[in-house]
Amino acid sequence: MSGLAAGVGVDAATLTLSHESLPAEEVVSGTPTTATRELTTLNGLEIGIWEMTPGTATDTEADEVFVVLSGRATIAFASSGLPDLEVGPGSFVRLAEGMRTTWTVTETLRKVYVA
């Protein structure tokens, strides 16, 4: 295990993150920014915090599961036939490697992910 040591805790809801602008080709509307902070790895899996400010952007997903800590968004799945997914605090979601998504964040969204 690397990163966060065993027996040490952090407040994932208030942990300071450094935001960056998204590449212009990923932004659909608004001026969303994102931040990622890896907390640790466990058995080859990365565990961390990801956050996006309001706006709409596209993404190609990693194989991951996540739990939303705060905020709200709609995730649209391109050409998969899946319905749009509304997420908010407590939502638990699984995404598959290569899925094309469009995230519309209405309240800054923070999630804990395992990928």
XYZ file of all heavy atoms in Angstrom:
836
model
N 0.847 -1.178 0.000
C 0.000 0.000 0.000
C 0.890 1.238 0.000
O 1.862 1.304 0.737
C -0.895 -0.025 1.244
C -1.913 1.061 1.248
S -3.270 0.663 2.364
C -3.033 1.919 3.588
N 0.554 2.239 -0.826
C 1.315 3.486 -0.856
C 0.374 4.646 -0.565
O -0.828 4.487 -0.514
C 1.968 3.665 -2.232
O 0.974 3.819 -3.224
N 0.931 5.841 -0.385
C 0.111 7.017 -0.106
C -0.263 7.082 1.354
O 0.588 7.008 2.229
N -1.544 7.172 1.618
C -2.066 7.261 2.976
C -1.654 6.024 3.771
O -1.898 4.902 3.361
C -3.587 7.363 2.912
C -4.326 7.728 4.174
C -3.951 9.136 4.628
C -5.821 7.652 3.932
N -1.021 6.244 4.895
C -0.530 5.135 5.709
C -1.675 4.461 6.457
O -2.693 5.094 6.757
C 0.506 5.649 6.712
N -1.498 3.192 6.749
C -2.488 2.453 7.526
C -2.668 3.128 8.887
O -1.698 3.552 9.511
C -2.040 1.005 7.699
N -3.906 3.240 9.320
C -4.198 3.851 10.607
C -4.307 5.359 10.569
O -4.527 5.998 11.595
N -4.163 5.966 9.388
C -4.263 7.420 9.227
C -5.549 7.720 8.464
O -5.903 7.016 7.524
C -3.043 7.973 8.447
C -3.205 9.460 8.165
C -1.766 7.699 9.203
N -6.251 8.757 8.858
C -7.481 9.137 8.182
C -7.426 10.550 7.647
O -6.608 11.361 8.087
N -8.268 10.823 6.662
C -8.430 12.176 6.123
C -9.925 12.438 5.983
O -10.715 11.506 5.893
C -7.744 12.365 4.743
C -6.250 12.181 4.839
C -8.337 11.443 3.697
N -10.306 13.696 5.955
C -11.695 14.071 5.718
C -11.856 14.280 4.213
O -11.494 15.327 3.674
C -12.044 15.344 6.490
C -13.513 15.710 6.363
O -14.193 15.211 5.439
O -13.982 16.510 7.190
N -12.372 13.267 3.539
C -12.488 13.306 2.073
C -13.416 14.412 1.596
O -13.288 14.882 0.474
C -12.979 11.949 1.560
N -14.340 14.848 2.450
C -15.290 15.889 2.062
C -14.664 17.278 2.042
O -15.120 18.151 1.313
C -16.496 15.873 2.986
N -13.594 17.489 2.834
C -13.011 18.833 2.933
C -11.550 18.889 2.495
O -10.943 19.958 2.565
C -13.117 19.369 4.378
O -12.375 18.508 5.253
C -14.569 19.443 4.836
N -11.000 17.789 2.046
C -9.603 17.742 1.610
C -9.363 18.784 0.518
O -10.148 18.897 -0.426
C -9.303 16.346 1.078
C -7.859 15.929 0.951
C -7.166 15.925 2.304
C -7.780 14.542 0.329
N -8.298 19.558 0.643
C -7.983 20.591 -0.340
C -7.509 19.945 -1.644
O -6.661 19.049 -1.626
C -6.880 21.534 0.194
O -7.360 22.135 1.398
C -6.536 22.607 -0.811
N -8.071 20.417 -2.752
C -7.724 19.912 -4.083
C -7.283 21.067 -4.966
O -7.759 22.190 -4.803
C -8.934 19.222 -4.727
C -9.555 18.056 -3.967
C -10.807 17.571 -4.683
C -8.558 16.926 -3.807
N -6.407 20.792 -5.919
C -5.945 21.806 -6.876
C -6.647 21.585 -8.208
O -6.427 20.573 -8.876
C -4.430 21.704 -7.071
O -3.768 21.980 -5.867
N -7.484 22.548 -8.580
C -8.262 22.440 -9.823
C -7.476 22.916 -11.034
O -6.649 23.810 -10.940
C -9.546 23.265 -9.703
C -10.624 22.561 -8.970
N -11.705 22.015 -9.590
C -10.772 22.274 -7.650
C -12.487 21.438 -8.694
N -11.937 21.593 -7.505
N -7.800 22.293 -12.170
C -7.233 22.686 -13.461
C -8.353 22.771 -14.482
O -9.354 22.054 -14.376
C -6.199 21.656 -13.923
C -4.998 21.555 -13.012
C -3.965 20.546 -13.518
O -4.174 19.951 -14.594
O -2.961 20.372 -12.826
N -8.165 23.631 -15.481
C -9.131 23.725 -16.568
C -9.102 22.439 -17.381
O -8.062 21.786 -17.498
C -8.787 24.905 -17.481
O -8.878 26.109 -16.765
N -10.251 22.103 -17.940
C -10.330 20.937 -18.811
C -9.858 21.314 -20.214
O -9.977 22.476 -20.615
C -11.775 20.442 -18.888
C -12.307 19.790 -17.619
C -13.819 19.677 -17.675
C -11.681 18.427 -17.445
N -9.372 20.347 -20.982
C -9.029 20.639 -22.380
C -10.269 21.163 -23.110
O -11.377 20.641 -22.917
C -8.588 19.278 -22.934
C -8.180 18.481 -21.731
C -9.084 18.954 -20.620
N -10.094 22.176 -23.948
C -11.209 22.824 -24.639
C -12.070 21.827 -25.405
O -13.295 21.968 -25.457
C -10.686 23.909 -25.571
N -11.446 20.794 -25.975
C -12.213 19.828 -26.779
C -13.144 18.961 -25.930
O -14.048 18.317 -26.455
C -11.285 18.940 -27.629
C -10.353 18.050 -26.848
C -9.023 18.703 -26.479
O -8.848 19.923 -26.666
O -8.149 17.962 -25.993
N -12.965 18.955 -24.606
C -13.837 18.177 -23.721
C -14.989 19.001 -23.160
O -15.978 18.443 -22.687
C -13.030 17.585 -22.560
C -12.040 16.537 -22.991
C -11.220 15.989 -21.833
O -11.526 16.307 -20.655
O -10.259 15.252 -22.104
N -14.873 20.337 -23.191
C -15.892 21.211 -22.606
C -17.039 21.408 -23.587
O -16.836 21.806 -24.725
C -15.288 22.568 -22.200
C -16.378 23.505 -21.686
C -14.209 22.371 -21.154
N -18.261 21.115 -23.119
C -19.466 21.298 -23.920
C -20.083 22.651 -23.598
O -20.501 23.380 -24.490
C -20.481 20.160 -23.657
C -21.786 20.391 -24.394
C -19.873 18.808 -24.025
N -20.138 22.998 -22.292
C -20.668 24.306 -21.898
C -20.113 24.703 -20.544
O -19.709 23.856 -19.743
C -22.202 24.291 -21.863
O -22.668 23.444 -20.843
N -20.095 25.998 -20.293
C -19.571 26.526 -19.042
C -18.048 26.505 -19.027
O -17.404 26.369 -20.077
N -17.481 26.649 -17.852
C -16.025 26.628 -17.679
C -15.660 25.694 -16.526
O -15.062 26.104 -15.532
C -15.479 28.042 -17.412
O -16.180 28.593 -16.291
C -15.615 28.951 -18.616
N -16.053 24.418 -16.649
C -15.778 23.491 -15.550
C -14.283 23.247 -15.368
O -13.502 23.308 -16.322
C -16.483 22.204 -15.985
C -16.509 22.272 -17.472
C -16.654 23.736 -17.793
N -13.911 23.001 -14.118
C -12.551 22.593 -13.792
C -12.648 21.269 -13.043
O -13.706 20.926 -12.505
C -11.838 23.631 -12.907
O -12.552 23.757 -11.665
C -11.739 24.986 -13.598
N -11.540 20.538 -13.028
C -11.510 19.276 -12.287
C -10.254 19.212 -11.436
O -9.261 19.885 -11.710
C -11.542 18.038 -13.203
O -10.407 18.059 -14.056
C -12.817 17.965 -14.018
N -10.335 18.352 -10.419
C -9.191 18.092 -9.555
C -9.223 16.616 -9.187
O -10.289 16.033 -9.004
C -9.264 18.943 -8.296
N -8.049 16.036 -9.095
C -7.917 14.639 -8.686
C -6.803 14.557 -7.662
O -5.770 15.205 -7.809
C -7.565 13.737 -9.883
O -8.559 13.890 -10.891
C -7.488 12.276 -9.475
N -7.048 13.759 -6.639
C -6.003 13.542 -5.637
C -6.004 12.070 -5.256
O -6.965 11.579 -4.663
C -6.239 14.411 -4.413
C -5.129 14.265 -3.388
C -5.126 15.414 -2.446
N -4.165 15.205 -1.383
C -4.056 15.984 -0.330
N -4.848 17.033 -0.219
N -3.167 15.742 0.594
N -4.938 11.384 -5.648
C -4.798 9.989 -5.265
C -4.492 9.934 -3.774
O -3.630 10.654 -3.284
C -3.678 9.318 -6.056
C -3.512 7.853 -5.714
C -2.393 7.165 -6.479
O -2.052 7.615 -7.588
O -1.864 6.178 -5.944
N -5.219 9.080 -3.064
C -5.001 8.933 -1.633
C -4.094 7.753 -1.317
O -3.239 7.831 -0.444
C -6.334 8.761 -0.904
C -7.303 9.929 -1.015
C -8.618 9.593 -0.326
C -6.688 11.199 -0.442
N -4.305 6.646 -2.027
C -3.518 5.442 -1.771
C -3.744 4.439 -2.889
O -4.603 4.647 -3.755
C -3.908 4.824 -0.401
O -2.949 3.847 -0.031
C -5.296 4.221 -0.423
N -2.974 3.385 -2.881
C -3.234 2.226 -3.731
C -3.361 1.017 -2.812
O -2.735 0.953 -1.754
C -2.120 1.989 -4.771
O -0.884 1.830 -4.089
C -2.027 3.134 -5.754
N -4.180 0.091 -3.239
C -4.421 -1.112 -2.457
C -4.611 -2.267 -3.433
O -5.518 -2.223 -4.268
C -5.671 -0.919 -1.596
C -6.073 -2.055 -0.674
C -4.986 -2.305 0.377
C -7.395 -1.725 0.010
N -3.721 -3.252 -3.360
C -3.795 -4.403 -4.265
C -3.880 -3.983 -5.732
O -4.648 -4.547 -6.508
C -4.970 -5.309 -3.897
C -4.821 -5.900 -2.521
O -3.712 -6.205 -2.081
N -5.925 -6.050 -1.818
N -3.119 -2.964 -6.108
C -3.064 -2.507 -7.495
C -4.170 -1.557 -7.908
O -4.202 -1.113 -9.048
N -5.085 -1.224 -7.015
C -6.165 -0.301 -7.325
C -5.863 1.074 -6.754
O -5.385 1.193 -5.627
C -7.493 -0.807 -6.737
C -8.009 -2.117 -7.316
C -9.212 -2.597 -6.511
C -8.375 -1.949 -8.777
N -6.159 2.110 -7.546
C -5.987 3.487 -7.083
C -7.262 3.936 -6.386
O -8.364 3.710 -6.884
C -5.705 4.396 -8.277
C -5.529 5.843 -7.910
C -5.243 6.720 -9.125
O -4.452 6.311 -9.993
O -5.834 7.808 -9.194
N -7.102 4.575 -5.232
C -8.230 5.121 -4.487
C -7.965 6.611 -4.306
O -6.872 7.004 -3.888
C -8.380 4.430 -3.122
C -8.557 2.919 -3.324
C -9.549 5.030 -2.344
C -8.344 2.106 -2.082
N -8.952 7.433 -4.658
C -8.721 8.866 -4.572
C -9.996 9.680 -4.571
O -11.106 9.145 -4.509
N -9.800 10.984 -4.653
C -10.886 11.963 -4.682
C -10.859 12.645 -6.051
O -9.787 12.994 -6.559
C -10.676 13.060 -3.608
C -10.472 12.449 -2.228
C -11.815 14.071 -3.632
C -11.673 11.804 -1.642
N -12.031 12.844 -6.642
C -12.161 13.564 -7.910
C -13.273 14.578 -7.717
O -14.281 14.296 -7.059
C -12.516 12.601 -9.034
C -12.703 13.231 -10.381
C -11.724 13.486 -11.305
C -13.936 13.644 -10.986
N -12.287 14.036 -12.438
C -13.644 14.147 -12.258
C -15.260 13.652 -10.553
C -14.614 14.636 -13.114
C -16.243 14.151 -11.408
C -15.912 14.632 -12.673
N -13.089 15.767 -8.294
C -14.081 16.831 -8.155
C -14.201 17.581 -9.477
O -13.219 17.772 -10.190
C -13.646 17.785 -7.037
C -14.653 18.848 -6.705
C -14.239 19.630 -5.471
O -13.414 20.562 -5.594
O -14.725 19.287 -4.375
N -15.434 18.002 -9.793
C -15.687 18.819 -10.987
C -16.633 19.941 -10.604
O -17.630 19.718 -9.909
C -16.299 17.978 -12.110
C -16.568 18.753 -13.391
S -17.138 17.647 -14.709
C -17.940 18.839 -15.805
N -16.315 21.163 -11.053
C -17.163 22.323 -10.813
C -18.268 22.373 -11.875
O -18.202 21.662 -12.886
C -16.336 23.624 -10.839
O -15.726 23.758 -12.133
C -15.264 23.622 -9.753
N -19.303 23.196 -11.670
C -20.430 23.226 -12.608
C -20.018 23.496 -14.054
O -19.127 24.291 -14.342
C -21.304 24.348 -12.055
C -21.063 24.300 -10.584
C -19.576 24.028 -10.483
N -20.727 22.805 -14.932
C -20.504 22.883 -16.369
C -20.764 21.516 -16.970
O -21.149 20.574 -16.275
N -20.531 21.411 -18.274
C -20.747 20.153 -18.987
C -19.493 19.800 -19.769
O -18.933 20.647 -20.470
C -21.954 20.268 -19.945
O -23.108 20.645 -19.179
C -22.234 18.962 -20.662
N -19.062 18.537 -19.623
C -17.848 18.078 -20.290
C -17.962 16.598 -20.635
O -18.693 15.854 -19.979
C -16.628 18.309 -19.403
N -17.225 16.194 -21.661
C -17.194 14.795 -22.062
C -15.972 14.113 -21.463
O -14.998 14.765 -21.095
C -17.142 14.661 -23.595
O -15.963 15.317 -24.076
C -18.368 15.286 -24.252
N -16.036 12.783 -21.384
C -14.933 12.022 -20.815
C -14.949 10.611 -21.390
O -15.990 10.113 -21.809
C -15.066 11.967 -19.291
C -13.797 11.538 -18.583
O -12.711 11.568 -19.208
O -13.876 11.178 -17.406
N -13.790 9.976 -21.385
C -13.680 8.550 -21.659
C -13.288 7.917 -20.338
O -12.261 8.267 -19.756
C -12.625 8.259 -22.741
O -12.997 8.945 -23.942
C -12.538 6.758 -23.013
N -14.119 7.016 -19.861
C -13.995 6.508 -18.510
C -12.947 5.418 -18.339
O -12.634 4.686 -19.267
C -15.351 5.966 -18.033
C -16.453 6.994 -18.022
C -16.167 8.192 -17.127
O -15.399 8.069 -16.151
O -16.739 9.256 -17.394
N -12.451 5.345 -17.103
C -11.624 4.232 -16.641
C -12.574 3.208 -16.024
O -13.735 3.506 -15.756
C -10.629 4.714 -15.599
N -12.097 2.008 -15.797
C -12.869 1.000 -15.083
C -12.836 1.393 -13.612
O -11.770 1.383 -12.993
C -12.235 -0.372 -15.310
C -13.183 -1.510 -15.013
O -14.408 -1.278 -14.962
O -12.698 -2.638 -14.841
N -13.962 1.804 -13.060
C -13.972 2.316 -11.698
C -15.333 2.174 -11.044
O -16.344 1.991 -11.725
C -13.559 3.787 -11.650
C -14.619 4.747 -12.157
C -14.292 6.211 -11.898
O -14.603 6.710 -10.791
O -13.741 6.852 -12.805
N -15.320 2.287 -9.727
C -16.532 2.481 -8.936
C -16.308 3.753 -8.138
O -15.164 4.110 -7.836
C -16.858 1.294 -7.999
C -17.191 0.056 -8.793
C -15.749 1.042 -7.015
N -17.408 4.456 -7.841
C -17.271 5.659 -7.031
C -18.514 5.887 -6.188
O -19.585 5.370 -6.489
C -16.958 6.890 -7.890
C -18.045 7.336 -8.832
C -19.075 8.168 -8.399
C -18.023 6.964 -10.166
C -20.061 8.605 -9.274
C -19.006 7.389 -11.046
C -20.036 8.215 -10.598
N -18.317 6.674 -5.133
C -19.400 7.122 -4.264
C -19.355 8.643 -4.247
O -18.303 9.238 -3.999
C -19.240 6.582 -2.819
C -20.337 7.142 -1.916
C -19.237 5.072 -2.798
N -20.490 9.271 -4.514
C -20.572 10.733 -4.486
C -20.658 11.196 -3.032
O -21.488 10.721 -2.263
C -21.800 11.236 -5.280
C -21.936 12.754 -5.156
C -21.698 10.816 -6.746
N -19.747 12.115 -2.684
C -19.756 12.708 -1.346
C -20.643 13.942 -1.287
O -21.355 14.160 -0.306
C -18.340 13.105 -0.935
C -17.329 11.992 -0.765
C -15.962 12.579 -0.464
C -17.763 11.047 0.336
N -20.558 14.772 -2.337
C -21.326 16.016 -2.357
C -21.534 16.459 -3.796
O -20.798 16.062 -4.696
C -20.599 17.114 -1.571
O -19.328 17.366 -2.135
N -22.555 17.304 -3.997
C -22.830 17.847 -5.323
C -23.845 17.031 -6.086
O -24.345 15.999 -5.620
N -24.135 17.508 -7.306
C -25.131 16.853 -8.159
C -24.692 16.928 -9.611
O -24.088 17.909 -10.039
C -26.488 17.523 -8.015
C -27.013 17.474 -6.600
C -28.522 17.360 -6.561
N -28.954 17.101 -5.198
C -29.094 15.897 -4.659
N -28.864 14.832 -5.371
N -29.480 15.759 -3.415
N -25.038 15.865 -10.349
C -24.705 15.814 -11.772
C -25.611 14.828 -12.484
O -26.236 13.965 -11.856
C -23.254 15.406 -11.971
N -25.643 14.964 -13.793
C -26.271 13.986 -14.668
C -25.171 13.427 -15.553
O -24.387 14.183 -16.129
C -27.358 14.630 -15.549
O -28.339 15.221 -14.693
C -28.014 13.606 -16.459
N -25.107 12.102 -15.639
C -24.135 11.438 -16.500
C -24.906 10.836 -17.669
O -25.811 10.015 -17.462
C -23.370 10.333 -15.754
C -22.732 10.875 -14.479
C -22.319 9.697 -16.679
C -22.205 9.799 -13.543
N -24.572 11.273 -18.889
C -25.173 10.723 -20.104
C -24.165 9.775 -20.738
O -22.970 10.078 -20.784
C -25.544 11.842 -21.071
N -24.655 8.638 -21.197
C -23.797 7.613 -21.792
C -23.970 7.625 -23.307
O -25.063 7.391 -23.815
C -24.161 6.241 -21.232
C -24.000 6.155 -19.739
C -25.065 6.401 -18.883
C -22.766 5.847 -19.188
C -24.917 6.334 -17.507
C -22.599 5.781 -17.812
C -23.680 6.032 -16.973
N -22.879 7.905 -24.029
C -22.922 7.986 -25.488
C -23.044 6.585 -26.087
O -22.304 5.681 -25.718
C -21.668 8.675 -26.011
N -23.959 6.427 -26.982
C -24.162 5.226 -27.805
C -24.123 3.906 -27.043
O -23.673 2.900 -27.555
C -23.153 5.189 -28.958
O -21.840 4.995 -28.478
N -24.603 3.892 -25.811
C -24.634 2.628 -25.069
C -26.058 2.156 -24.829
O -26.267 1.029 -24.399
C -23.927 2.788 -23.729
O -24.695 3.635 -22.890
N -27.026 3.033 -25.065
C -28.408 2.685 -24.806
C -28.803 2.825 -23.347
O -29.946 2.601 -22.987
N -27.848 3.182 -22.493
C -28.149 3.368 -21.070
C -28.847 4.707 -20.859
O -28.494 5.700 -21.500
C -26.865 3.338 -20.241
C -26.126 2.005 -20.188
C -24.754 2.181 -19.528
C -26.956 0.983 -19.436
N -29.812 4.754 -19.940
C -30.465 6.035 -19.647
C -29.513 6.960 -18.901
O -28.563 6.511 -18.252
C -31.651 5.641 -18.768
C -31.235 4.357 -18.123
C -30.338 3.661 -19.120
N -29.796 8.270 -18.977
C -29.026 9.233 -18.201
C -29.141 8.874 -16.722
O -30.171 8.373 -16.267
C -29.543 10.656 -18.418
C -29.273 11.162 -19.828
O -28.632 10.443 -20.620
O -29.722 12.275 -20.128
N -28.073 9.152 -15.989
C -28.012 8.790 -14.575
C -27.852 10.051 -13.738
O -26.896 10.800 -13.916
C -26.826 7.852 -14.351
C -26.597 7.310 -12.960
C -27.794 6.478 -12.507
C -25.332 6.459 -12.950
N -28.822 10.295 -12.852
C -28.752 11.418 -11.912
C -27.988 10.947 -10.687
O -28.327 9.902 -10.112
C -30.151 11.866 -11.499
C -31.051 12.295 -12.646
C -30.709 13.663 -13.189
O -30.193 14.503 -12.421
O -30.955 13.895 -14.383
N -26.942 11.690 -10.281
C -26.168 11.306 -9.102
C -26.100 12.460 -8.110
O -26.133 13.626 -8.488
C -24.738 10.830 -9.469
C -24.797 9.579 -10.335
C -23.936 11.920 -10.161
N -26.018 12.085 -6.838
C -25.905 13.044 -5.752
C -25.308 12.339 -4.556
O -24.890 11.172 -4.651
N -25.249 13.010 -3.416
C -24.626 12.425 -2.235
C -25.157 11.016 -1.946
O -26.362 10.790 -1.913
C -24.991 13.397 -1.111
C -25.153 14.711 -1.824
C -25.779 14.348 -3.143
N -24.218 10.081 -1.796
C -24.566 8.697 -1.513
C -24.677 7.813 -2.731
O -24.712 6.587 -2.599
N -24.732 8.392 -3.937
C -24.826 7.564 -5.143
C -23.581 6.703 -5.290
O -22.462 7.182 -5.120
C -24.963 8.439 -6.400
O -26.167 9.148 -6.393
N -23.786 5.436 -5.611
C -22.703 4.476 -5.853
C -22.831 4.049 -7.300
O -23.898 3.590 -7.723
C -22.843 3.265 -4.920
C -21.752 2.249 -5.090
C -20.555 2.397 -4.422
C -21.926 1.157 -5.926
C -19.535 1.462 -4.574
C -20.921 0.216 -6.082
C -19.723 0.362 -5.408
N -21.757 4.224 -8.092
C -21.821 4.001 -9.540
C -20.623 3.188 -9.996
O -19.515 3.360 -9.483
C -21.842 5.358 -10.294
C -21.885 5.156 -11.798
C -23.013 6.215 -9.830
N -20.852 2.331 -10.996
C -19.760 1.608 -11.647
C -19.690 2.049 -13.099
O -20.709 2.109 -13.788
C -19.993 0.102 -11.602
C -18.900 -0.610 -12.404
C -18.659 -2.008 -11.983
N -17.561 -2.708 -12.569
C -17.190 -2.778 -13.826
N -17.821 -2.089 -14.750
N -16.176 -3.520 -14.213
N -18.483 2.386 -13.543
C -18.221 2.741 -14.936
C -17.236 1.734 -15.506
O -16.399 1.193 -14.774
C -17.644 4.155 -15.025
C -18.536 5.275 -14.496
C -17.773 6.595 -14.473
C -19.803 5.391 -15.322
N -17.323 1.495 -16.814
C -16.441 0.539 -17.470
C -15.425 1.267 -18.349
O -15.718 2.323 -18.933
C -17.251 -0.434 -18.318
N -14.248 0.699 -18.446
C -13.170 1.220 -19.286
C -13.691 1.523 -20.687
O -14.370 0.693 -21.301
C -12.054 0.172 -19.373
C -10.873 0.586 -20.219
C -9.895 1.448 -19.461
O -9.828 1.342 -18.222
O -9.190 2.239 -20.114
N -13.421 2.738 -21.158
C -13.759 3.120 -22.526
C -15.137 3.718 -22.712
O -15.436 4.199 -23.815
N -15.992 3.687 -21.702
C -17.316 4.312 -21.850
C -17.133 5.788 -22.175
O -16.318 6.466 -21.562
C -18.135 4.214 -20.553
C -18.740 2.888 -20.258
S -19.681 2.981 -18.689
C -21.149 2.120 -19.189
N -17.915 6.273 -23.131
C -17.922 7.705 -23.444
C -19.091 8.322 -22.686
O -20.224 7.860 -22.808
C -18.078 7.942 -24.946
C -16.899 7.486 -25.778
C -15.669 8.381 -25.645
N -15.972 9.761 -25.965
C -15.377 10.809 -25.429
N -14.426 10.676 -24.532
N -15.717 12.027 -25.768
N -18.795 9.343 -21.888
C -19.812 9.976 -21.062
C -19.806 11.484 -21.242
O -18.804 12.071 -21.667
C -19.575 9.668 -19.566
O -18.253 10.082 -19.218
C -19.747 8.181 -19.269
N -20.930 12.083 -20.900
C -21.032 13.536 -20.797
C -21.555 13.830 -19.405
O -22.618 13.339 -19.009
C -21.988 14.117 -21.863
O -21.488 13.770 -23.157
C -22.081 15.632 -21.743
N -20.774 14.596 -18.661
C -21.105 14.971 -17.287
C -21.662 16.389 -17.287
O -20.986 17.320 -17.734
C -19.860 14.938 -16.417
C -19.305 13.573 -16.175
C -18.673 12.768 -17.089
C -19.317 12.857 -14.953
N -18.297 11.590 -16.495
C -18.676 11.618 -15.176
C -19.800 13.133 -13.678
C -18.513 10.668 -14.181
C -19.636 12.189 -12.684
C -19.006 10.971 -12.942
N -22.883 16.558 -16.782
C -23.456 17.879 -16.572
C -23.544 18.076 -15.068
O -24.401 17.487 -14.392
C -24.838 18.005 -17.232
O -24.690 17.752 -18.636
C -25.421 19.409 -17.018
N -22.632 18.876 -14.542
C -22.549 19.114 -13.103
C -23.292 20.403 -12.780
O -22.986 21.454 -13.340
C -21.071 19.190 -12.649
C -20.966 19.578 -11.184
C -20.368 17.862 -12.910
N -24.282 20.299 -11.887
C -25.069 21.473 -11.499
C -24.629 22.027 -10.153
O -24.847 23.211 -9.875
C -26.572 21.131 -11.465
O -26.772 19.993 -10.616
C -27.082 20.827 -12.871
N -24.042 21.187 -9.295
C -23.435 21.595 -8.024
C -22.098 20.874 -7.951
O -22.045 19.666 -8.207
C -24.281 21.156 -6.829
C -25.651 21.764 -6.741
C -26.470 21.121 -5.618
O -25.882 20.560 -4.661
O -27.704 21.165 -5.706
N -21.025 21.587 -7.628
C -19.699 20.986 -7.602
C -19.775 19.570 -7.031
O -20.256 19.359 -5.922
C -18.708 21.847 -6.798
O -18.594 23.124 -7.461
C -17.338 21.202 -6.718
N -19.317 18.616 -7.829
C -19.424 17.201 -7.497
C -18.092 16.679 -6.988
O -17.060 16.888 -7.626
C -19.836 16.405 -8.743
C -20.113 14.931 -8.488
C -21.557 14.759 -8.077
C -19.796 14.097 -9.690
N -18.123 16.018 -5.837
C -16.926 15.389 -5.276
C -17.238 13.926 -5.053
O -18.267 13.579 -4.465
C -16.523 16.055 -3.962
C -15.230 15.422 -3.381
C -14.774 16.158 -2.156
N -14.112 17.402 -2.531
C -13.059 17.915 -1.903
N -12.546 17.296 -0.851
N -12.523 19.044 -2.294
N -16.329 13.064 -5.510
C -16.534 11.623 -5.348
C -15.251 10.967 -4.854
O -14.150 11.476 -5.067
C -16.990 10.978 -6.655
C -15.916 11.009 -7.759
C -16.415 10.382 -9.039
C -15.318 10.335 -10.088
N -15.710 9.658 -11.320
N -15.414 9.828 -4.183
C -14.309 8.951 -3.844
C -14.359 7.825 -4.860
O -15.421 7.211 -5.067
C -14.457 8.366 -2.425
C -13.365 7.335 -2.157
C -14.401 9.469 -1.389
N -13.248 7.576 -5.552
C -13.227 6.548 -6.591
C -12.216 5.441 -6.265
O -11.255 5.653 -5.536
C -12.902 7.160 -7.954
C -11.495 7.692 -8.046
C -10.430 6.864 -8.408
C -11.218 9.025 -7.751
C -9.130 7.341 -8.468
C -9.918 9.510 -7.798
C -8.891 8.665 -8.168
O -7.594 9.145 -8.227
N -12.490 4.273 -6.827
C -11.578 3.143 -6.797
C -11.447 2.689 -8.241
O -12.435 2.341 -8.880
C -12.121 1.989 -5.921
C -11.159 0.810 -5.948
C -12.362 2.458 -4.493
N -10.214 2.755 -8.767
C -10.001 2.406 -10.188
C -8.742 1.572 -10.350
O -7.807 1.687 -9.595
C -9.889 3.671 -11.030
